[in-house]
Amino acid sequence: MTSTISINDNQHLALEPLEVPNRLLLGPGPSNAHPTVLKAMSTRPLGHLDPAFLTMMDEIQSLLRYVWQTENPHTIAVSGTGTAAMEATLANSVEPGDVVLIGVAGYFGNRLVDMAGRYGADVRTITKPWGQVFNLEEISTAVATHKPAILALVHAETSTGARQPLEGVGELCRQHGTLLLVDTVTSLGGVPIFLDEWGVDLSYSCSQKGLGCSPGASPFTMSPRAMEKLQKRQSKVANWYLDMTLLGKYWGSDAFGERGYRTYHHTAPINLYYGLREALRLVAEEGLANCWQRHQKNVEYLWQGLEDIGLKMHVEKEYRLPTLTTVCIPEGVNGKSIARQLLLEHNIEIGGGLGELAGKVWRVGLMGFNSRPESVDKLIAALGTMISNN
Ligand SMILES: *Cc1c(COP(=O)(O)O)cnc(C)c1O
């Protein structure tokens, strides 16, 4: 082949095969993937319409229903990270002009506000200082005032470490014909969730936090009520990639009355689905109750360890998440430099504060495979020495 154009070698790197440092990921996510999950992810890809692959997708759907405790027919994985599944819930449920009421008590509440606005929602908010949660009365008053088409709440606010109680919320939403949308990104697999019991209509999560997989395949579910709203839309879903009426045909959801009929929409990230399937299988093997208990037990061990080295937690005990703890940075301590030292000298990643909590807290995650006493021991040993030397 001859060409008069010469190849530009400016960016032509000669690299060694990839090697990455061995970090313990105790930040707000990602967490370390389980070794079994990593092994599954390095398996050879199948075609995305291969019957063997479709069977595996069915398994993912069932196990997602199990971990979420829902019977929603339309329960799938979205190709993309948690944010893609988050956007999918709003893209499919919001029609321009719909009133969407959002509980904002942290960074992810604000992200919901931004996204809902982009889909033309008439957004109303209720707010709380970061680290606190809404009580049922506050939610009830707001729903009665705004009569929203959708109420959106963050179950586990990763920016604050607070768990929003959901008991009773679904019931009051039904009284007002409101759909309940809940972010379960940092709760799925680590915090008790009873989606159907709680009357949740739309929810999304991710693979790289409580489920212990790599990021990129994100749980999504919608109730028959949410499905009805989707099917009655006057306007098309404004996002082609995330349109559940199209995706339902690939996932073969009963909800679309086309069981067995599976058609191309986009090429699934095959190996990520392997990883998600394996991560879910591991949760099922452990048993959901045991899995939740393990997260609770290990986080209590963490809180004790942190208190023993003189540190305080930001959130009131009753509302603390088992998956993510916000730790107050003591007066006179440089939080950023400690986190950097932990990473570079001890191979432990923790997170810093966002928004109202910037510079005030560290965020420590114990999620999925990382929710083990050894993770706590390593962190407390390293952090304890640094703080006493500070
Ligand atoms: C991590 C997170 C998200 C976003 O998920 P990505 O996988 O980072 O896209 C959304 N909501 C909450 C509460 C989260 O913690």
Side-chain angles (χ1 to χ4, degrees):
M1 196 179 77
T2 56
S3 167
T4 53
I5 305 173
S6 59
I7 287 175
N8 177 345
D9 274 325
N10 284 349
Q11 310 292 330
H12 183 169
L13 304 178
L15 298 176
E16 295 300 319
L18 180 67
E19 275 202 48
V20 294
N22 186 5
R23 312 276 203 222
L24 178 59
L25 302 178
L26 301 184
S31 60
N32 293 82
H34 194 290
T36 307
V37 170
L38 289 177
K39 188 158 166 279
M41 286 179 58
S42 61
T43 308
R44 61 191 166 275
L46 286 166
H48 62 94
L49 286 169
D50 188 308
F53 189 68
L54 297 178
T55 299
M56 199 204 69
M57 288 168 71
D58 291 343
E59 292 165 354
I60 289 177
Q61 291 190 285
S62 270
L63 288 176
L64 282 177
R65 294 185 192 109
Y66 168 65
V67 294
W68 251 326
Q69 288 294 287
T70 180
E71 293 293 328
N72 288 343
H74 191 71
T75 302
I76 67 165
V78 166
S79 304
T81 67
T83 307
M86 180 180 201
E87 183 139 3
T89 55
L90 292 166
N92 285 276
S93 63
V94 175
E95 281 203 89
D98 278 351
V99 173
V100 177
L101 175 64
I102 302 174
V104 180
Y107 175 89
F108 290 101
N110 281 323
R111 185 178 286 186
L112 281 165
V113 168
D114 187 352
M115 275 185 185
R118 288 169 193 239
Y119 285 97
D122 172 358
V123 179
R124 317 280 173 89
T125 59
I126 44 174
T127 59
K128 276 274 161 174
W130 290 31
Q132 295 183 23
V133 297
F134 300 95
N135 64 41
L136 191 57
E137 205 179 307
E138 291 164 333
I139 296 171
S140 172
T141 306
V143 170
T145 307
H146 298 287
K147 299 191 173 41
I150 298 159
L151 166 68
L153 294 171
V154 179
H155 184 215
E157 185 42 271
T158 322
S159 62
T160 70
R163 177 186 56 81
Q164 172 63 54
L166 293 167
E167 288 83 358
V169 179
E171 216 169 296
L172 72 92
C173 281
R174 272 167 172 65
Q175 286 162 13
H176 291 87
T178 298
L179 293 178
L180 177 57
L181 187 162
V182 177
D183 178 318
T184 56
V185 177
T186 296
S187 48
L188 191 67
V191 186
I193 302 182
F194 297 94
L195 228 55
D196 286 357
E197 273 301 308
W198 292 345
V200 177
D201 295 295
L202 290 140
S203 195
Y204 56 90
S205 192
C206 76
S207 45
Q208 78 275 13
K209 296 181 186 176
L211 296 179
C213 180
S214 269
S218 301
F220 171 98
T221 190
M222 63 199 297
S223 70
R225 284 192 342 138
M227 187 65 71
E228 200 183 311
K229 185 170 192 319
L230 170 60
Q231 279 161 341
K232 282 188 182 152
R233 287 180 71 102
Q234 302 294 310
S235 56
K236 272 189 175 179
V237 172
N239 186 317
W240 191 90
Y241 195 69
L242 300 174
D243 184 339
M244 290 301 151
T245 60
L246 305 177
L247 282 166
K249 291 175 185 157
Y250 177 43
W251 284 86
S253 302
D254 285 331
F256 293 94
E258 298 185 84
R259 189 93 206 144
Y261 173 75
R262 314 281 280 252
T263 186
Y264 168 73
H265 175 264
H266 68 279
T267 308
I270 308 290
N271 291 53
L272 280 169
Y273 284 18
Y274 292 168
L276 180 60
R277 188 266 192 197
E278 214 51 16
L280 290 165
R281 184 186 68 77
L282 289 168
V283 174
E285 187 179 77
E286 181 177 8
L288 203 46
N290 292 337
C291 190
W292 293 339
Q293 265 162 27
R294 172 169 58 84
H295 281 82
Q296 188 62 34
K297 206 169 136 213
N298 290 321
V299 86
E300 284 175 14
Y301 182 53
L302 170 72
W303 299 338
Q304 188 58 55
L306 290 166
E307 280 169 11
D308 289 347
I309 58 170
L311 296 171
K312 290 195 174 65
M313 280 15 95
H314 174 68
V315 177
E316 205 184 313
K317 199 162 190 174
E318 188 184 349
Y319 301 113
R320 274 184 218 159
L321 287 170
T323 42
L324 194 285
T325 300
T326 39
V327 189
C328 302
I329 300 171
E331 202 73 41
V333 168
N334 183 333
K336 256 192 190 154
S337 98
I338 294 241
R340 193 166 169 76
Q341 214 181 327
L342 270 178
L343 183 71
L344 300 181
E345 291 171 19
H346 299 270
N347 275 319
I348 302 174
E349 178 176 274
I350 63 168
L354 296 173
E356 283 181 21
L357 298 178
K360 295 186 180 154
V361 299
W362 290 300
R363 291 184 297 152
V364 178
L366 286 180
M367 305 177 185
F369 177 59
N370 284 351
S371 173
R372 282 171 293 146
E374 303 89 277
S375 314
V376 176
D377 291 339
K378 276 189 194 158
L379 176 69
I380 297 296
L383 199 55
T385 333
M386 275 180 221
I387 287 176
S388 58
N389 293 340
N390 197 272

